[in-house]
Amino acid sequence: MSMHGLLTTTLGCALTAVLATAWSAAPPTEPTRPTATTVRTTEPARPTAATTVLTHDGPVRGTAHDGYRTFEGIPYAAPPVGGLRWAPPHRSIPWPGVRDATRPASACPQPPGEVPGGSTDEDCLHLNVTTPDGAGPTRPRPVIVWLHGGGFTTGAGISYDAHRMATRGDVVVVTVNYRLGALGFLAHSGLPGSGTFGLADQQAALSWVRAEIGAFGGDAHNVTLAGESAGGYSVCAQLASPAAAGLFDRAIIESGPCTGRPDRPFAPSSVPLSTARATGADLAAKVGCGSASDVLACLRRVDVSRLLTAQDTDQQPAYATPLLPVDPATAITVGRFHHVPVLIGNNHDEGNGWAAGIIQAGNPVTPDTWPDIVAAFFPSPGQSLGQAKAIVREYPVHRTDGGPVFGAVIGDADFACPTERADDLLAIQVPVWRYEFADEHAPPLTSGTPPFPLGAPHASELPYLFDLGGRPRDLTAAQHRLADTMIDYWARFTRTADPNGPSSPHWSRRTVLSLAPDRIVPTRTVRQRHHCAFWNALG
């Protein structure tokens, strides 16, 4: 197992405990399909009413709430089952009568975690629409299409309750399921779409939005593609994909920098097609199809649960493919990407959650253990020892600060400095706004007591934008104001490609906006704090 896989296995997803509340207990006969409406506790319970919208595939009946409407589990592509397993997404199948869109549909197949019990239901290419009252064909609102994170292995669109974004921001929000794990990213010679099926699903969802969102009150000509972590990296991939041309008008990238690398294993990245094919061959052998006369036919007969057990915990899109011809890092370096405005950022303490998990898994960080930990988690073929020594010198560990120092190394190497690099490269061609989420008292995403204060770790900005799992986070009054400010920035960027407004601190394109309850100010000190010159020199 690779180091990235070890991290995934050891730590799991930082959002699991929070997002799992989006899924109710399923009936015994269908253990992977949620059947109850997401619980929302942001307002007193009150009667809701049905609301119906006509799509090209048939009418859908959603739910009218106080100030907004929701439509859950709308198919945007045909179920990728049977011969469509490991095929590009096909057009969705029209339905007779009115389709019930008042309850979540299945998450895409994934191991237990965010979705209790996991999922084995391949009929999962659905999306969810949240639209504010007043939006309609005569008054269309800007659209945000949200791609969830989860390491390309876990996650679901329904986990992100977007009603605060929709109502305060006055925007239509679409959250998307896409194929994950081996079902989303298998590569095999002779298989069209190898290594990029999940990215192709995202493009199919964007095509659906262009065609259908007007009926829900969205402006089909003003679509922002947004995501966090693997979802943020997906936005980078779509920026670099020729097939995504014309599918979106702006981009928001949260903690998924376009310049991620496989040798910096905490952040998402892509891999060459040759590497992805080797992983696919290994999977085929594990499930007994490696020597079959027709390997793909054999793989398509394998039960989903067996594939999930056998798949590598590493999952990355493959480049050198028709959908993703080059690594997104290369694409933005040479300027071969879709020239749309970008809002990009990271959190101040991205690496602290991983550092805490590794320590709690039995790996204390002390002056004595630090060199070995650096060598293990930041390998560099051919020069591992020299690189490890340089990192130890740049980030010395003392008797009591091992955890925060380890977290700083992860955060700088995998998120802050790659984000700065992506910012610099993108800004040569397009307008770019960069932020740093810096609330050192952000509410924890998991239960238990960490071995050191986590500050603003990976994914901690999400509760300020969404009610994760349909439940509001325990924010202070100041944090609620910060959440409102962030939604205002995000929504104005979606509306006009400029996040600035009359009441919020001005955000300059060539500075970093620091977002915290006690300071929402432009700052020029982030680069020095994150030692990016060191990481650039290290290579």
Side-chain angles (χ1 to χ4, degrees):
M1 180 183 294
S2 71
M3 185 58 67
H4 186 273
L6 175 62
L7 298 176
T8 303
T9 301
T10 302
L11 303 179
C13 177
L15 293 176
T16 294
V18 176
L19 296 180
T21 58
W23 302 92
S24 64
T29 56
E30 293 187 14
T32 63
R33 182 183 291 276
T35 59
T37 304
T38 300
V39 176
R40 296 182 174 90
T41 59
T42 55
E43 59 188 23
R46 64 189 67 193
T48 57
T51 179
T52 302
V53 168
L54 181 63
T55 74
H56 287 90
D57 290 326
V60 294
R61 182 179 61 251
T63 305
H65 307 267
D66 186 9
Y68 65 101
R69 296 174 295 153
T70 57
F71 301 84
E72 300 175 335
I74 304 174
Y76 66 84
V81 299
L84 296 185
R85 179 189 279 183
W86 296 307
H90 283 51
R91 191 185 184 284
S92 55
I93 302 169
W95 49 83
V98 179
R99 183 181 180 94
D100 181 17
T102 64
R103 300 185 297 180
S106 291
C108 284
Q110 57 192 277
E114 177 177 325
V115 178
S119 173
T120 58
D121 192 345
E122 293 180 85
D123 181 6
C124 67
L125 299 185
H126 305 109
L127 50 76
N128 316 285
V129 180
T130 304
T131 184
D133 284 353
T138 60
R139 292 190 62 206
R141 303 302 201 270
V143 180
I144 296 176
V145 177
W146 178 259
L147 304 177
H148 67 77
F152 295 112
T153 304
T154 64
I158 198 62
S159 296
Y160 298 81
D161 181 327
H163 81 273
R164 285 192 291 115
M165 178 77 75
T167 54
R168 181 172 181 89
D170 200 27
V171 295
V172 174
V173 184
V174 180
T175 63
V176 179
N177 288 355
Y178 54 92
R179 279 175 284 182
L180 302 167
L183 289 164
F185 300 97
L186 176 83
H188 190 277
S189 59
L191 179 63
S194 271
T196 58
F197 298 110
L199 299 181
D201 294 342
Q202 296 168 5
Q203 293 180 1
L206 286 166
S207 295
W208 184 96
V209 167
R210 287 291 203 204
E212 305 284 1
I213 204 64
F216 296 84
D219 184 352
H221 303 291
N222 189 355
V223 175
T224 295
L225 184 61
E228 183 267 345
S229 195
Y233 189 79
S234 293
V235 177
C236 295
Q238 301 301 350
L239 284 170
S241 174
L247 292 181
F248 58 99
D249 306 289
R250 323 195 201 292
I252 297 176
I253 302 166
E254 299 179 27
S255 301
C258 303
T259 53
R261 296 162 31 174
D263 64 334
R264 304 261 172 96
F266 296 86
S269 62
S270 55
V271 295
L273 180 59
S274 57
T275 300
R277 284 179 173 174
T279 301
D282 183 59
L283 175 76
K286 287 180 179 177
V287 299
C289 293
S291 58
S293 57
D294 188 334
V295 173
L296 290 175
C298 178
L299 282 170
R300 287 186 171 120
R301 292 192 296 269
V302 175
D303 185 75
V304 172
S305 58
R306 189 177 180 194
L307 290 172
L308 293 177
T309 300
Q311 73 181 15
D312 194 335
T313 49
D314 274 337
Q315 299 295 332
Q316 294 99 15
Y319 64 88
T321 60
L323 188 144
L324 197 60
V326 298
D327 186 341
T330 300
I332 67 167
T333 299
V334 300
R336 289 167 52 190
F337 62 91
H338 304 304
H339 289 181
V340 301
V342 176
L343 188 158
I344 187 171
N346 58 275
N347 296 350
H348 185 274
D349 306 296
E350 291 275 5
N352 279 1
W354 281 286
I358 292 167
I359 291 170
Q360 289 175 317
N363 301 282
V365 180
T366 68
D368 292 335
T369 64
W370 183 224
D372 290 336
I373 288 175
V374 168
F377 287 95
F378 289 87
S380 179
Q383 56 174 359
S384 177
L385 185 59
Q387 175 174 282
K389 287 181 177 179
I391 295 171
V392 169
R393 286 194 301 269
E394 181 74 11
Y395 295 83
V397 164
H398 305 98
R399 187 172 61 86
T400 61
D401 63 357
V405 171
F406 190 14
V409 171
I410 296 170
D412 292 353
D414 290 75
F415 293 96
C417 297
T419 298
E420 178 188 293
R421 175 65 173 157
D423 175 7
D424 290 341
L425 292 168
L426 291 164
I428 295 171
Q429 304 281 346
V430 299
V432 179
W433 280 263
R434 182 170 164 223
Y435 73 88
E436 180 192 58
F437 178 77
D439 183 1
E440 62 181 336
H441 300 296
L445 293 172
T446 56
S447 59
T449 302
F452 60 92
L454 299 185
H458 189 64
S460 59
E461 89 284 6
L462 292 177
Y464 294 70
L465 300 172
F466 301 95
D467 284 358
L468 301 178
R471 298 179 61 184
R473 302 300 292 151
D474 184 16
L475 301 180
T476 66
Q479 288 171 330
H480 276 292
R481 290 193 294 272
L482 172 59
D484 289 346
T485 298
M486 290 173 62
I487 289 173
D488 291 345
Y489 279 129
W490 269 232
R492 283 193 297 262
F493 174 80
T494 298
R495 183 168 288 106
T496 68
D498 185 339
N500 290 299
S503 59
S504 298
H506 185 74
W507 188 346
S508 170
R509 278 171 47 188
R510 296 314 300 149
T511 62
V512 182
L513 192 73
S514 182
L515 299 170
D518 60 342
R519 61 183 191 282
I520 305 174
V521 296
T523 175
R524 295 182 181 274
T525 62
V526 174
R527 298 169 191 239
Q528 287 75 31
R529 285 205 310 269
H530 286 305
H531 306 282
C532 290
F534 166 78
W535 289 104
N536 290 337
L538 198 63

mmCIF file of all heavy atoms in Angstrom, residues 447-469:
data_model
loop_
_atom_site.group_PDB
_atom_site.id
_atom_site.type_symbol
_atom_site.label_atom_id
_atom_site.label_comp_id
_atom_site.label_asym_id
_atom_site.label_seq_id
_atom_site.Cartn_x
_atom_site.Cartn_y
_atom_site.Cartn_z
ATOM 1 N N SER A 447 -15.298 14.110 16.494
ATOM 2 C CA SER A 447 -15.403 14.051 17.947
ATOM 3 C C SER A 447 -14.054 13.680 18.556
ATOM 4 O O SER A 447 -13.122 13.298 17.857
ATOM 5 C CB SER A 447 -16.468 13.021 18.342
ATOM 6 O OG SER A 447 -16.131 11.745 17.830
ATOM 7 N N GLY A 448 -13.975 13.762 19.866
ATOM 8 C CA GLY A 448 -12.736 13.414 20.558
ATOM 9 C C GLY A 448 -11.853 14.627 20.765
ATOM 10 O O GLY A 448 -12.094 15.714 20.226
ATOM 11 N N THR A 449 -10.816 14.410 21.548
ATOM 12 C CA THR A 449 -9.887 15.488 21.881
ATOM 13 C C THR A 449 -8.583 15.274 21.137
ATOM 14 O O THR A 449 -7.902 14.264 21.331
ATOM 15 C CB THR A 449 -9.613 15.526 23.390
ATOM 16 O OG1 THR A 449 -10.855 15.686 24.091
ATOM 17 C CG2 THR A 449 -8.665 16.663 23.732
ATOM 18 N N PRO A 450 -8.197 16.192 20.244
ATOM 19 C CA PRO A 450 -6.943 16.022 19.516
ATOM 20 C C PRO A 450 -5.751 16.228 20.427
ATOM 21 O O PRO A 450 -5.867 16.838 21.497
ATOM 22 C CB PRO A 450 -7.027 17.111 18.442
ATOM 23 C CG PRO A 450 -7.889 18.168 19.048
ATOM 24 C CD PRO A 450 -8.898 17.434 19.895
ATOM 25 N N PRO A 451 -4.575 15.751 20.018
ATOM 26 C CA PRO A 451 -3.387 15.886 20.875
ATOM 27 C C PRO A 451 -2.837 17.301 20.932
ATOM 28 O O PRO A 451 -1.954 17.578 21.751
ATOM 29 C CB PRO A 451 -2.380 14.929 20.220
ATOM 30 C CG PRO A 451 -2.823 14.821 18.798
ATOM 31 C CD PRO A 451 -4.314 14.943 18.822
ATOM 32 N N PHE A 452 -3.325 18.195 20.099
ATOM 33 C CA PHE A 452 -2.927 19.597 20.139
ATOM 34 C C PHE A 452 -4.017 20.398 19.435
ATOM 35 O O PHE A 452 -4.800 19.854 18.642
ATOM 36 C CB PHE A 452 -1.558 19.827 19.475
ATOM 37 C CG PHE A 452 -1.503 19.440 18.021
ATOM 38 C CD1 PHE A 452 -1.762 20.370 17.025
ATOM 39 C CD2 PHE A 452 -1.188 18.140 17.637
ATOM 40 C CE1 PHE A 452 -1.718 20.030 15.688
ATOM 41 C CE2 PHE A 452 -1.138 17.781 16.308
ATOM 42 C CZ PHE A 452 -1.398 18.726 15.318
ATOM 43 N N PRO A 453 -4.136 21.703 19.679
ATOM 44 C CA PRO A 453 -5.176 22.505 19.027
ATOM 45 C C PRO A 453 -5.004 22.486 17.512
ATOM 46 O O PRO A 453 -3.896 22.677 16.998
ATOM 47 C CB PRO A 453 -4.955 23.906 19.604
ATOM 48 C CG PRO A 453 -4.251 23.677 20.904
ATOM 49 C CD PRO A 453 -3.370 22.482 20.679
ATOM 50 N N LEU A 454 -6.110 22.266 16.806
ATOM 51 C CA LEU A 454 -6.034 22.080 15.356
ATOM 52 C C LEU A 454 -6.144 23.382 14.579
ATOM 53 O O LEU A 454 -5.813 23.412 13.384
ATOM 54 C CB LEU A 454 -7.131 21.110 14.893
ATOM 55 C CG LEU A 454 -7.059 19.696 15.476
ATOM 56 C CD1 LEU A 454 -8.122 18.817 14.838
ATOM 57 C CD2 LEU A 454 -5.673 19.087 15.279
ATOM 58 N N GLY A 455 -6.644 24.447 15.177
ATOM 59 C CA GLY A 455 -6.758 25.703 14.452
ATOM 60 C C GLY A 455 -7.780 25.597 13.332
ATOM 61 O O GLY A 455 -8.933 25.226 13.551
ATOM 62 N N ALA A 456 -7.357 25.934 12.118
ATOM 63 C CA ALA A 456 -8.233 25.900 10.931
ATOM 64 C C ALA A 456 -7.737 24.811 9.987
ATOM 65 O O ALA A 456 -7.071 25.104 8.984
ATOM 66 C CB ALA A 456 -8.236 27.256 10.246
ATOM 67 N N PRO A 457 -8.032 23.531 10.266
ATOM 68 C CA PRO A 457 -7.501 22.444 9.462
ATOM 69 C C PRO A 457 -8.285 22.230 8.168
ATOM 70 O O PRO A 457 -9.257 22.941 7.876
ATOM 71 C CB PRO A 457 -7.641 21.238 10.390
ATOM 72 C CG PRO A 457 -8.850 21.555 11.211
ATOM 73 C CD PRO A 457 -8.812 23.046 11.410
ATOM 74 N N HIS A 458 -7.869 21.235 7.424
ATOM 75 C CA HIS A 458 -8.497 20.874 6.157
ATOM 76 C C HIS A 458 -10.003 20.711 6.335
ATOM 77 O O HIS A 458 -10.462 20.063 7.269
ATOM 78 C CB HIS A 458 -7.888 19.553 5.658
ATOM 79 C CG HIS A 458 -8.289 19.167 4.280
ATOM 80 N ND1 HIS A 458 -7.953 19.910 3.176
ATOM 81 C CD2 HIS A 458 -8.988 18.092 3.816
ATOM 82 C CE1 HIS A 458 -8.418 19.318 2.093
ATOM 83 N NE2 HIS A 458 -9.056 18.221 2.448
ATOM 84 N N ALA A 459 -10.767 21.329 5.468
ATOM 85 C CA ALA A 459 -12.234 21.243 5.400
ATOM 86 C C ALA A 459 -12.953 22.075 6.452
ATOM 87 O O ALA A 459 -14.182 22.107 6.462
ATOM 88 C CB ALA A 459 -12.711 19.787 5.482
ATOM 89 N N SER A 460 -12.227 22.770 7.324
ATOM 90 C CA SER A 460 -12.907 23.486 8.404
ATOM 91 C C SER A 460 -13.672 24.706 7.916
ATOM 92 O O SER A 460 -14.495 25.264 8.656
ATOM 93 C CB SER A 460 -11.905 23.898 9.491
ATOM 94 O OG SER A 460 -10.880 24.728 8.966
ATOM 95 N N GLU A 461 -13.460 25.145 6.686
ATOM 96 C CA GLU A 461 -14.244 26.269 6.153
ATOM 97 C C GLU A 461 -15.633 25.841 5.698
ATOM 98 O O GLU A 461 -16.538 26.673 5.544
ATOM 99 C CB GLU A 461 -13.490 26.930 4.991
ATOM 100 C CG GLU A 461 -13.742 26.366 3.610
ATOM 101 C CD GLU A 461 -13.036 25.037 3.331
ATOM 102 O OE1 GLU A 461 -12.417 24.466 4.270
ATOM 103 O OE2 GLU A 461 -13.098 24.560 2.190
ATOM 104 N N LEU A 462 -15.839 24.541 5.475
ATOM 105 C CA LEU A 462 -17.093 24.091 4.874
ATOM 106 C C LEU A 462 -18.332 24.408 5.716
ATOM 107 O O LEU A 462 -19.364 24.795 5.157
ATOM 108 C CB LEU A 462 -17.018 22.591 4.574
ATOM 109 C CG LEU A 462 -16.036 22.197 3.470
ATOM 110 C CD1 LEU A 462 -15.983 20.693 3.319
ATOM 111 C CD2 LEU A 462 -16.422 22.860 2.148
ATOM 112 N N PRO A 463 -18.304 24.260 7.047
ATOM 113 C CA PRO A 463 -19.507 24.593 7.820
ATOM 114 C C PRO A 463 -19.890 26.071 7.763
ATOM 115 O O PRO A 463 -21.002 26.429 8.166
ATOM 116 C CB PRO A 463 -19.134 24.184 9.251
ATOM 117 C CG PRO A 463 -18.023 23.209 9.105
ATOM 118 C CD PRO A 463 -17.265 23.672 7.900
ATOM 119 N N TYR A 464 -19.004 26.924 7.290
ATOM 120 C CA TYR A 464 -19.329 28.330 7.140
ATOM 121 C C TYR A 464 -20.099 28.576 5.840
ATOM 122 O O TYR A 464 -20.721 29.634 5.679
ATOM 123 C CB TYR A 464 -18.050 29.170 7.165
ATOM 124 C CG TYR A 464 -17.344 29.133 8.497
ATOM 125 C CD1 TYR A 464 -16.702 27.977 8.947
ATOM 126 C CD2 TYR A 464 -17.317 30.247 9.324
ATOM 127 C CE1 TYR A 464 -16.064 27.935 10.175
ATOM 128 C CE2 TYR A 464 -16.679 30.225 10.551
ATOM 129 C CZ TYR A 464 -16.057 29.054 10.978
ATOM 130 O OH TYR A 464 -15.440 29.014 12.194
ATOM 131 N N LEU A 465 -20.067 27.608 4.925
ATOM 132 C CA LEU A 465 -20.755 27.742 3.643
ATOM 133 C C LEU A 465 -21.978 26.842 3.533
ATOM 134 O O LEU A 465 -22.946 27.185 2.843
ATOM 135 C CB LEU A 465 -19.783 27.402 2.506
ATOM 136 C CG LEU A 465 -18.522 28.266 2.413
ATOM 137 C CD1 LEU A 465 -17.574 27.687 1.376
ATOM 138 C CD2 LEU A 465 -18.880 29.710 2.065
ATOM 139 N N PHE A 466 -21.946 25.673 4.192
ATOM 140 C CA PHE A 466 -23.010 24.680 4.093
ATOM 141 C C PHE A 466 -23.395 24.191 5.483
ATOM 142 O O PHE A 466 -22.597 24.263 6.418
ATOM 143 C CB PHE A 466 -22.556 23.463 3.277
ATOM 144 C CG PHE A 466 -22.118 23.775 1.875
ATOM 145 C CD1 PHE A 466 -20.778 23.970 1.583
ATOM 146 C CD2 PHE A 466 -23.036 23.851 0.843
ATOM 147 C CE1 PHE A 466 -20.356 24.241 0.289
ATOM 148 C CE2 PHE A 466 -22.638 24.127 -0.456
ATOM 149 C CZ PHE A 466 -21.290 24.322 -0.729
ATOM 150 N N ASP A 467 -24.604 23.647 5.597
ATOM 151 C CA ASP A 467 -24.955 22.847 6.769
ATOM 152 C C ASP A 467 -24.610 21.407 6.426
ATOM 153 O O ASP A 467 -25.355 20.732 5.708
ATOM 154 C CB ASP A 467 -26.444 22.988 7.104
ATOM 155 C CG ASP A 467 -26.767 24.311 7.767
ATOM 156 O OD1 ASP A 467 -25.836 25.091 7.997
ATOM 157 O OD2 ASP A 467 -27.950 24.563 8.030
ATOM 158 N N LEU A 468 -23.470 20.945 6.892
ATOM 159 C CA LEU A 468 -23.000 19.609 6.541
ATOM 160 C C LEU A 468 -23.916 18.561 7.139
ATOM 161 O O LEU A 468 -24.201 18.565 8.330
ATOM 162 C CB LEU A 468 -21.567 19.403 7.026
ATOM 163 C CG LEU A 468 -20.537 20.402 6.471
ATOM 164 C CD1 LEU A 468 -19.164 20.111 7.059
ATOM 165 C CD2 LEU A 468 -20.496 20.366 4.954
ATOM 166 N N GLY A 469 -24.366 17.665 6.302
ATOM 167 C CA GLY A 469 -25.293 16.649 6.769
ATOM 168 C C GLY A 469 -26.647 17.217 7.150
ATOM 169 O O GLY A 469 -27.424 16.560 7.837
#
